[in-house]
Amino acid sequence: MSQPELARLNTGGACLEQPQNPSQPAPLTTVVPIARTIEIQSQLPSPMQKIPVEILEIVMWEVVKDSLSLPIIRYYIDVTRMRLVCRHWTQVLEAMPAVWANLSPSMDERLIDLALSRSIHSSLTIKGYLFLSPALDKLFQHIYRWGILDVSLERDNILDRLCESSAPLLEELSLAPTSSSPPRILFNDSAPMLRVVDIRDYGVQWNSSIFSNLRELSLSNVEEDAPDVDTLLKLLSNSPQLTRLEIWYTTLTPSDSPQARVSLPSLHSLELHSLGQGILKQLLESIEIPTSTTCQFTIEQNDYELTSIYEQLEPIGRRLSTLAGVSRGSKSTFTLGSRQDVLGLSIEVIYEGEAPQLGALGVEVEGFGLNIGVVEYFASQLGQDDPNPVPPSLHFTFRASLGNEQELLQRLPLHLPDTEEISIENSNAGFIGDAINTLFPRHSSRPFPRLSTLIIRKGTRGHWADGLQSRQKLQDEKGGGDPLPLKTLKIEGGSIGAKEVEGLKKLVPNLVLDGVEIE
């Protein structure tokens, strides 16, 4: 390229100038340099081609990886869109085996052939519904490459094929089979790399050696051929490095005399939900876990007489008491709440703290006929030791009425008398008003004498503000008086009237409004 040509390209010189008379066509002497400029520019390499391929592959994989959770068609649509950017991107993508390792029987056979070829020797991810087809046959020919299998199936002959061949690279298994035949051993009892298992709806042979050295185990809605407690405990004992255990709505058979306690020192998360008569208690008394494990439990009260439910809550109560001991001297929050549930009423209890190695504990008790006794039981477990130098904050989220919340507020000080902070969130206006009247009675001593901070979150303009304003008005009529016995009243979210704000300022020395709409 000559120096004059470069100058014109860089400066947009005479070759790009418009004729002085727009109605006149551009002279040939102008058109030719423009064409030459376009030709030169088309030959210049794209800035993207200057990026090293290794870096471009990393960027592309990060983009593609976000689509892995999408349906397989959407995934390959996203891959195609990236290929259409330019020829260079197409070449890079086609040379990335991991991009083509995501497969499903629902894919067109030609795309499956292409993906199997381009993925080379990469570990394959197989997702979707397994049905008899030539596409499925092609996938089974590569079972030795399966790394992740997340499928559902109904035909026994497909389940037979899963039982016949080993899966040497399989690391994650999510299976929802429906079968009329007895449970069978999967993968010819050989899947040495298996670490994550999620079984739904139907049982398998739980004593198989493939269920060893697991890191995560989830069972849900397994009613037929679910393991009994002894079999489950043996499975857990063969996976001492388990980090996550979840069991949902599964019909476990209780044990007459469970084996010795199983230690799971690496467990990060434990969830046990609606397991039926006495199973939750038996499991918790048979599994030893660290205080850093986050636990979530659900009990359906309808499975028990109301008087016997406390026996089932005992191991959870002991866990709560242990966590409270670990948390002494550190900030913690004790949440009590309720909501309407399909089974009636649901009581929610959560304990979480800032102490190191302290996992949160959450409990839901569902059913009809629940009362504040269940909530008070958990509160009693926090107040068993000597006074905590940093008492837990109380957090109320009563979205459904228990009918006697005022009585609960009067009884909680028996177990948590040193409470200094209370927050009320997403609760109806009636509860907020009743809580304020109970917490700050006009003619008797306060139930929480050390209470200094009250926080109201997402409250709507209603009885709670009116109640405080009427209190301030009564004080004005008496010639003033002591303000509300608080250091701080904090309102987060929701709405409040401007006059109510002025009234509240007279009641507390420190009124904080955070994200509040003032009407």
Side-chain angles (χ1 to χ4, degrees):
M1 184 185 304
S2 65
Q3 291 297 326
E5 286 178 326
L6 281 175
R8 285 196 297 270
L9 180 61
N10 293 329
T11 62
C15 65
L16 298 180
E17 291 180 358
Q18 298 293 326
Q20 293 184 354
N21 186 354
S23 63
Q24 297 294 325
L28 185 61
T29 54
T30 301
V31 173
V32 171
I34 292 178
R36 176 59 177 159
T37 300
I38 295 175
E39 178 184 356
I40 294 171
Q41 289 177 330
S42 66
Q43 295 174 357
L44 294 176
S46 167
M48 292 299 297
Q49 294 182 344
K50 297 180 181 180
I51 300 177
V53 171
E54 295 80 6
I55 295 179
L56 189 56
E57 286 180 342
I58 294 174
V59 174
M60 286 181 168
W61 178 243
E62 288 299 317
V63 175
V64 170
K65 191 168 61 175
D66 290 338
S67 301
L68 287 174
S69 59
L70 299 175
I72 196 72
I73 294 178
R74 286 286 309 277
Y75 171 80
Y76 277 102
I77 287 176
D78 288 348
V79 172
T80 301
R81 286 172 176 168
M82 292 184 65
R83 293 179 72 249
L84 294 176
V85 171
C86 66
R87 183 180 303 173
H88 178 56
W89 280 36
T90 298
Q91 294 171 344
V92 173
L93 275 171
E94 290 181 354
M96 294 175 61
V99 171
W100 305 94
N102 192 24
L103 300 164
S104 171
S106 63
M107 292 167 54
D108 183 87
E109 283 186 65
R110 292 169 296 178
L111 180 56
I112 287 182
D113 289 335
L114 185 65
L116 288 173
S117 173
R118 288 179 176 171
S119 59
I120 312 178
H121 301 297
S122 292
S123 174
L124 301 178
T125 295
I126 312 296
K127 294 182 179 181
Y129 178 73
L130 299 188
F131 56 95
L132 293 176
S133 66
L136 182 62
D137 294 337
K138 293 178 183 293
L139 295 180
F140 266 106
Q141 291 172 10
H142 293 262
I143 191 172
Y144 63 92
R145 293 174 55 192
W146 291 5
I148 298 175
L149 182 64
D150 182 359
V151 296
S152 58
L153 56 95
E154 292 183 358
R155 301 288 294 269
D156 284 348
N157 47 5
I158 296 179
L159 186 59
D160 289 340
R161 298 184 70 173
L162 289 178
C163 297
E164 292 169 355
S165 303
S166 62
L169 298 183
L170 188 65
E171 297 183 13
E172 299 182 21
L173 171 64
S174 181
L175 185 63
T178 301
S179 174
S180 57
S181 60
R184 283 165 287 177
I185 294 177
L186 299 171
F187 305 113
N188 197 27
D189 207 21
S190 178
M193 303 298 291
L194 189 60
R195 296 295 179 265
V196 179
V197 172
D198 177 11
I199 303 294
R200 306 182 302 276
D201 303 331
Y202 183 77
V204 296
Q205 277 285 4
W206 303 105
N207 57 2
S208 170
S209 63
I210 69 172
F211 299 128
S212 301
N213 299 316
L214 300 180
R215 297 296 183 268
E216 299 182 18
L217 175 63
S218 176
L219 309 179
S220 58
N221 297 296
V222 181
E223 297 184 359
E224 296 185 9
D225 299 305
D228 57 37
V229 169
D230 285 332
T231 301
L232 177 63
L233 292 176
K234 183 177 180 180
L235 188 157
L236 296 178
S237 68
N238 292 331
S239 299
Q241 298 304 311
L242 200 70
T243 61
R244 181 176 68 90
L245 174 60
E246 295 184 7
I247 307 178
W248 296 72
Y249 307 104
T250 292
T251 310
L252 300 173
T253 305
S255 171
D256 294 333
S257 55
Q259 65 175 40
R261 286 171 64 86
V262 175
S263 178
L264 299 175
S266 301
L267 198 67
H268 297 323
S269 174
L270 174 63
E271 295 195 33
L272 303 173
H273 302 278
S274 302
L275 302 184
Q277 288 279 1
I279 299 297
L280 176 62
K281 181 176 186 291
Q282 199 165 79
L283 287 178
L284 291 181
E285 291 178 340
S286 303
I287 300 174
E288 184 177 332
I289 60 177
T291 57
S292 59
T293 304
T294 296
C295 299
Q296 182 70 46
F297 308 125
T298 301
I299 295 180
E300 293 183 9
Q301 181 267 321
N302 300 335
D303 289 336
Y304 311 94
E305 295 292 334
L306 191 57
T307 54
S308 68
I309 194 172
Y310 297 104
E311 179 182 351
Q312 304 302 318
L313 294 176
E314 282 180 3
I316 304 177
R318 290 194 296 271
R319 173 77 178 180
L320 179 57
S321 181
T322 299
L323 296 179
V326 173
S327 188
R328 283 179 61 81
S330 302
K331 290 183 178 181
S332 61
T333 302
F334 185 47
T335 299
L336 307 172
S338 63
R339 60 182 176 84
Q340 200 65 37
D341 190 82
V342 292
L343 297 177
L345 194 65
S346 176
I347 289 178
E348 303 169 308
V349 176
I350 302 173
Y351 182 76
E352 49 194 345
E354 298 181 2
Q357 301 300 311
L358 183 73
L361 171 63
V363 186
E364 286 194 28
V365 183
E366 302 174 340
F368 298 98
L370 295 174
N371 57 41
I372 62 171
V374 174
V375 179
E376 188 180 357
Y377 168 78
F378 289 111
S380 68
Q381 305 305 304
L382 292 179
Q384 291 183 346
D385 299 325
D386 295 333
N388 189 339
V390 184
S393 300
L394 292 182
H395 181 202
F396 298 120
T397 59
F398 287 104
R399 294 184 287 274
S401 176
L402 295 175
N404 47 4
E405 290 88 350
Q406 279 187 294
E407 182 181 352
L408 174 64
L409 290 172
Q410 294 168 350
R411 296 190 61 80
L412 284 178
L414 299 176
H415 312 289
L416 303 167
D418 298 321
T419 299
E420 298 177 352
E421 179 179 288
I422 290 178
S423 60
I424 303 173
E425 180 177 4
N426 272 342
S427 296
N428 58 73
F431 171 74
I432 299 176
D434 291 342
I436 290 174
N437 291 332
T438 304
L439 295 173
F440 310 109
R442 295 174 179 174
H443 307 294
S444 60
S445 60
R446 292 187 291 155
F448 294 100
R450 294 179 56 181
L451 181 63
S452 61
T453 300
L454 176 63
I455 303 172
I456 298 176
R457 296 191 178 101
K458 301 179 183 178
T460 57
R461 181 178 181 179
H463 301 304
W464 66 271
D466 294 339
L468 286 176
Q469 195 173 34
S470 64
R471 182 187 182 103
Q472 186 269 331
K473 183 178 180 181
L474 182 63
Q475 290 177 340
D476 288 344
E477 292 174 352
K478 293 182 177 181
D482 294 332
L484 203 65
L486 280 174
K487 291 182 180 178
T488 300
L489 172 61
K490 186 176 183 180
I491 302 175
E492 300 178 355
S495 60
I496 190 173
K499 292 183 179 180
E500 292 160 344
V501 172
E502 295 304 316
L504 294 178
K505 288 180 179 179
K506 298 179 181 180
L507 292 178
V508 291
N510 184 26
L511 175 64
V512 179
L513 303 179
D514 185 0
V516 178
E517 180 183 355
I518 300 178
E519 301 175 348

